[in-house]
Amino acid sequence: MIRKQEITTFEFPEGAVIWDVRDTKAYAEAHVKGAMNRPIAELNADSLTQVAADQPIYILCGGGSKAPRAAELLEGIDSSREYVVLMGGTRAARDAGLPLEQGA
């Protein structure tokens, strides 16, 4: 199941799995605190084995175009999971004053 959530009105649950699907360079420049870099080109069935089947995966990108594609790709691999697309991505998070980090 794919859900959409505006990143500016979202509070991450404790221990949330957050995947930033941009390339490593864009991720290193700035990313949401706690997000792990999982470039869309590298997503596959093995990526999902790292996350408990009952845990939602929160997906974001820079502005909101790659995250929905990544969620659709992942749903095609395992449709029994919950994927949450964080709309607006890193740009919206920055504009809303959410904490961002730099580096890999």
Side-chain angles (χ1 to χ4, degrees):
M1 175 180 80
I2 298 175
R3 274 193 305 125
K4 293 183 178 179
Q5 173 74 48
E6 291 293 328
I7 194 166
T8 54
T9 59
F10 183 70
E11 291 190 30
F12 294 105
E14 185 72 29
V17 174
I18 309 161
W19 286 1
D20 186 321
V21 297
R22 298 174 297 155
D23 63 48
T24 53
K25 182 179 181 222
Y27 173 82
E29 288 173 4
H31 55 271
V32 171
K33 186 175 181 179
M36 295 176 282
N37 190 213
R38 297 287 185 267
I40 191 170
E42 298 174 15
L43 294 178
N44 56 38
D46 287 340
S47 305
L48 293 174
T49 63
Q50 302 166 19
V51 180
D54 63 344
Q55 187 161 16
I57 298 174
Y58 299 91
I59 303 168
L60 65 107
C61 57
S65 63
K66 285 183 184 167
R69 286 186 295 150
E72 288 174 13
L73 173 75
L74 291 167
E75 187 176 54
I77 296 169
D78 186 349
S79 61
S80 68
R81 292 177 174 263
E82 181 180 6
Y83 306 99
V84 182
V85 176
L86 299 172
M87 302 303 293
T90 305
R91 282 186 219 115
R94 180 192 61 224
D95 293 347
L98 297 177
L100 299 181
E101 298 178 327
Q102 294 181 324

